[in-house]
Amino acid sequence: MSTTEWASRPTGKPTIAGRIEARLRHDILHGTLAPGSRLSLDKLRAELDVGLSPLREAVTRLVSEGLVDVAPQRGYRVTPISIANFTEVGALRAELEPFALRRSIANGGLDWETGVMAALYRVNHTQRDAADPRSRAEWEAANNAFHLALIAGCDMPLLLRTHAMLVAFNDRYRNIYSEAVTVQRDVVEEHTAIAEAAVARRADEAADILKLHIARSVEILIDLIKKTHPDAPDT
């Protein structure tokens, strides 16, 4: 499963509900199912050729993950997006990820250091062509893997699950507004500075650079969204 999706999904052979959940999650995160659009279980059941019971189970899981809303008498709809929501997602990442990095620096051993540097090499050597969806997807996967490697040693499973959820929300905006995403700075240099400070156990420096890195990414995307999609919802 892609790192743009939840990190701690069940392993093994997926159930029917699990396959439906994965399909719907992918379509929501990539904008195929438009934000705010109504989800008709009857139409989905016919389209996916599945039973109502596993479909309800899958949709219920997506409700718990914040990707689907449900309201009495109104049924299900894809959770709307807004600049305010994206700002909140970014703010939470900017607080939680540096905290998790500090924990990893304190707890991580040689395997963690090796994982960080391997992930750094991968992301720094993965090309990103804004005009090529496949290239963008490969870079995003490498980028998310790098961020996960930084905090993998935090020894806090709940924090890791929360982080995976925030990354998925973040990537939803990147996917939907993909044509607006361009490289505005030297990300290779930023990633390298974070990794080198982390494995050298310079916790304050690494956390500060990471927090600025996340905040800068959020600010750039919001600015691009406002310029290229002036009708994008604010709240």
Side-chain angles (χ1 to χ4, degrees):
M1 179 170 289
S2 167
T3 51
T4 61
E5 300 173 358
W6 268 227
S8 303
R9 309 306 303 169
T11 58
K13 186 176 181 180
T15 63
I16 294 176
R19 290 195 295 271
I20 298 170
E21 179 189 1
R23 164 72 181 275
L24 294 178
R25 183 186 297 107
H26 176 277
D27 288 351
I28 291 171
L29 293 180
H30 289 78
T32 305
L33 289 172
S37 62
R38 183 173 177 271
L39 292 179
S40 168
L41 295 189
D42 289 336
K43 289 183 179 179
L44 286 174
R45 182 173 58 175
E47 177 185 340
L48 301 176
D49 191 23
V50 295
L52 184 59
S53 179
L55 177 59
R56 285 188 180 277
E57 181 180 346
V59 172
T60 299
R61 293 177 187 175
L62 294 173
V63 170
S64 69
E65 295 171 358
L67 294 176
V68 172
D69 288 343
V70 59
Q73 310 303 321
R74 295 185 180 182
Y76 300 100
R77 68 168 182 165
V78 178
T79 301
I81 62 175
S82 67
I83 290 176
N85 175 256
F86 181 55
T87 300
E88 181 180 0
V89 169
L92 288 171
R93 275 195 72 181
E95 293 298 325
L96 292 180
E97 199 167 315
F99 171 78
L101 176 58
R102 289 179 181 275
R103 294 273 304 188
S104 288
I105 290 172
N107 299 331
L110 181 59
D111 287 344
W112 169 75
E113 291 181 12
T114 303
V116 169
M117 299 312 292
L120 173 68
Y121 183 89
R122 179 187 173 196
V123 70
N124 281 356
H125 288 81
T126 299
Q127 298 299 314
R128 177 169 59 172
D129 181 354
D132 181 4
R134 182 181 181 86
S135 172
R136 289 200 310 268
E138 290 175 351
W139 188 88
E140 291 291 351
N143 180 61
N144 289 343
F146 170 69
H147 281 265
L148 179 59
L150 287 170
I151 66 172
C154 70
D155 195 27
M156 300 183 74
L158 180 57
L159 191 155
L160 289 174
R161 289 197 295 272
T162 302
H163 175 263
M165 179 182 68
L166 293 172
V167 169
F169 287 160
N170 179 90
D171 287 352
R172 186 184 182 203
Y173 286 87
R174 284 185 175 273
N175 291 329
I176 291 174
Y177 297 107
S178 59
E179 75 280 7
V181 178
T182 57
V183 178
Q184 299 288 314
R185 63 196 198 274
D186 191 345
V187 178
V188 169
E189 182 178 342
E190 291 180 25
H191 284 163
T192 301
I194 296 167
E196 289 181 348
V199 299
R201 311 292 170 160
R202 301 195 298 269
D204 289 342
E205 179 184 345
D208 288 346
I209 300 173
L210 177 60
K211 185 170 186 175
L212 179 60
H213 172 75
I214 294 170
R216 189 176 296 167
S217 296
V218 172
E219 291 171 1
I220 288 173
L221 183 52
I222 288 176
D223 184 55
L224 288 170
I225 291 173
K226 288 180 177 179
K227 288 179 179 178
T228 58
H229 296 77
D231 57 341
D234 290 323
T235 59

